[in-house]
Amino acid sequence: YTWKELPKVDGSGNEITYTVTEGTVPDGYECYETTVDAGGTITNTLDTGALEIAKKVFIDNKPATATVRSKEFYVVVKAVIDGETFWVTSDSGELSKDQRDAETFTITAEEGALIENLPVGEYTVTETNASYAGFTVATKYEVGGSETSSVTLSDGDAAAVVVTNTV
C-alpha cells in the first residue's frame, strides 16, 4: 500500500515521523518492525530450511559393492504445511498441490540430493523403487543427529534424511 500527500509537519510546525507496523504476519513468515522513510518498503521473508537426502546400501550388514552403490534409487518428497499437502517439484524448494507435479529425485549410495529453500513444515521422503533386486527398505529420519519418525523443518534448519536399503 502507498500513502500519498501525508503532511510533513503538524499544526505547530513539528516534523511528523510515520511508523508502519504490520499487524498480523502469516504463519511461516518473519517480519521485522521497521521505521520506514519516504519510499521505504516493508518486506516479509518466508521462513525456510533445507533437506538433504542420503542413501546407504548394505549387503549382509556390510557396505555394498561399487556396482550396487552406483545403482539409482528414486524418491519423492511430500510436505504438510499448515495442514495442507504439497509435493516438492524441484531442488530449489518449489511446491505444488498436484502430486503429478512431484519431482522424482534420483539418488545413489554415492550421491544424494539437496533441496533448499523449503518452507517450514513437515516433510516425508518416500522411496519409489526400494523393492527391486531383492532389497528391503528401512527409512531412517535424522534431524540434528536424533532419530525421529518425521522431519519437521524450522527456519534455518538443515535436516538430513537417510534412506537405508539392506539385503
Side-chain angles (χ1 to χ4, degrees):
Y1 184 80
T2 302
W3 290 273
K4 296 180 181 182
E5 300 179 27
L6 295 172
K8 294 185 181 195
V9 292
D10 64 16
S12 302
N14 299 313
E15 184 177 335
I16 299 173
T17 301
Y18 293 95
T19 303
V20 177
T21 303
E22 187 168 15
T24 303
V25 179
D27 288 342
Y29 286 83
E30 290 290 326
C31 180
Y32 302 94
E33 223 174 280
T34 306
T35 301
V36 200
D37 292 328
T41 302
I42 294 177
T43 303
N44 291 339
T45 305
L46 180 65
D47 292 338
T48 62
L51 185 62
E52 183 178 358
I53 304 168
K55 179 72 176 171
K56 292 183 181 177
V57 180
F58 293 93
I59 298 174
D60 295 327
N61 295 321
K62 296 178 187 162
T65 63
T67 303
V68 175
R69 283 195 314 271
S70 63
K71 191 165 195 58
E72 292 182 343
F73 294 86
Y74 307 110
V75 296
V76 294
V77 183
K78 180 175 77 171
V80 176
I81 301 168
D82 294 328
E84 293 190 59
T85 299
F86 296 89
W87 299 91
V88 177
T89 62
S90 74
D91 60 4
S92 60
E94 296 172 23
L95 303 176
S96 172
K97 287 186 174 184
D98 190 340
Q99 184 176 359
R100 293 173 294 189
D101 295 334
E103 173 79 17
T104 299
F105 295 93
T106 302
I107 60 174
T108 70
E110 296 172 339
E111 185 174 346
L114 176 63
I115 308 169
E116 299 180 299
N117 301 312
L118 290 167
V120 296
E122 186 171 319
Y123 289 83
T124 303
V125 175
T126 303
E127 188 169 24
T128 62
N129 66 332
S131 61
Y132 74 88
F135 286 92
T136 57
V137 66
T139 304
K140 181 170 101 175
Y141 298 92
E142 292 179 25
V143 179
S146 299
E147 190 172 337
T148 65
S149 60
S150 65
V151 175
T152 301
L153 288 181
S154 298
D155 190 31
D157 271 355
V161 176
V162 179
V163 181
T164 303
N165 293 98
T166 59
V167 176

